[in-house]
Amino acid sequence: MYVIVILAMIAGFLALRLYSVLGKRTGHEQEPALRPAEERAKVTIVQPRPVTEMAGDSVRLADGLIAPGGEAGVRALIAADRNFDVPQFVEGAKSAYRMVLEAFWRGDRQELEWLCDADVLASFQDAITAREAEGHVLDNRLVRIEKVQIVDAGVTGRMAEISLRFEADIAAVTRDRDGNVVAGSLTDAVGTNDIWTFTRDLRSTDPNWKLSETDEAA
């Protein structure tokens, strides 16, 4: 009985954690930067405006967060979900990127279940299982996220989809069962360029976006 209660508490904590990074706008936007929450500068609350007015607001929509090819899709998403906020979503996507990578590196299947859809989860689980069978342990570090930009977005029926390009530096080391380095180095960070896609059912009461696809950027 105690085990069931503890697992339920853990599940509730993870659900709240995911909601905090990829939920809807809380009323205060945060400056997109990898700093502790208490150090992030708050800005003026942005009130919802008519879609026709938003369509002409290229400064707020773009502002470096959206690639030219993604603006039309973002406007379509805003039209479908008036609570969607670009800066907050991008900030949340950064947190989700870190959370997913770190959970995968740890082999934390339970946390990945909250962050990924079934297909991506299955791929991660297969990779973790293969790694464990070889006796390998990842000692990786996300050094910094250099840039995040929405490259595509859209709404099909009730499903919203957003693809983001992540440019980051990662220090990666693979160790064997005895802790010996098999590959990589923690002193030399490697630049990575990934395209991650998040999806959400706009009619669902669940506000969470889930990782639905990962790919290397061209």
Side-chain angles (χ1 to χ4, degrees):
M1 179 63 71
Y2 290 112
V3 173
I4 295 175
V5 172
I6 291 172
L7 290 176
M9 291 174 65
I10 294 174
F13 169 74
L14 289 173
L16 290 173
R17 186 177 178 191
L18 179 58
Y19 176 79
S20 70
V21 297
L22 280 179
K24 293 186 176 181
R25 181 170 59 200
T26 61
H28 287 80
E29 300 170 13
Q30 293 179 335
E31 179 182 323
L34 289 174
R35 291 179 289 170
E38 63 271 15
E39 295 179 11
R40 294 174 185 152
K42 298 297 181 65
V43 298
T44 304
I45 297 174
V46 179
Q47 299 296 336
R49 293 173 291 165
V51 175
T52 54
E53 187 177 343
M54 282 185 169
D57 190 355
S58 59
V59 175
R60 179 172 181 267
L61 277 179
D63 195 27
L65 299 180
I66 308 174
E71 286 194 19
V74 170
R75 289 193 178 95
L77 176 53
I78 292 174
D81 182 2
R82 297 290 301 278
N83 289 317
F84 180 78
D85 182 79
V86 173
Q88 174 152 341
F89 180 85
V90 171
E91 182 68 19
K94 287 182 183 180
S95 297
Y97 183 76
R98 180 182 293 274
M99 290 168 64
V100 169
L101 287 179
E102 292 180 349
F104 173 68
W105 294 337
R106 291 194 309 269
D108 190 337
R109 296 174 176 84
Q110 186 175 24
E111 183 159 1
L112 289 171
E113 287 181 7
W114 291 99
L115 299 166
C116 309
D117 74 1
D119 290 339
V120 174
L121 176 63
S123 296
F124 281 142
Q125 289 177 332
D126 289 345
I128 292 171
T129 299
R131 189 172 74 215
E132 291 173 343
E134 294 179 355
H136 290 169
V137 176
L138 298 183
D139 185 12
N140 295 358
R141 303 286 186 273
L142 177 58
V143 178
R144 69 180 64 84
I145 299 177
E146 297 283 0
K147 183 178 180 180
V148 181
Q149 190 175 51
I150 296 174
V151 296
D152 196 13
V155 179
T156 303
R158 57 193 292 171
M159 298 301 299
E161 181 176 280
I162 304 178
S163 297
L164 302 97
R165 180 188 180 106
F166 292 87
E167 297 179 12
D169 293 330
I170 294 175
V173 170
T174 301
R175 301 182 185 276
D176 62 17
R177 289 185 176 87
D178 300 321
N180 300 314
V181 175
V182 175
S185 170
L186 284 178
T187 60
D188 296 322
V190 177
T192 62
N193 292 277
D194 299 318
I195 301 292
W196 282 23
T197 300
F198 296 88
T199 56
R200 177 178 175 265
D201 184 342
L202 295 179
R203 298 181 188 177
S204 172
T205 56
D206 183 356
N208 298 326
W209 293 75
K210 288 202 171 188
L211 178 62
S212 59
E213 186 176 350
T214 65
D215 199 1
E216 291 185 4

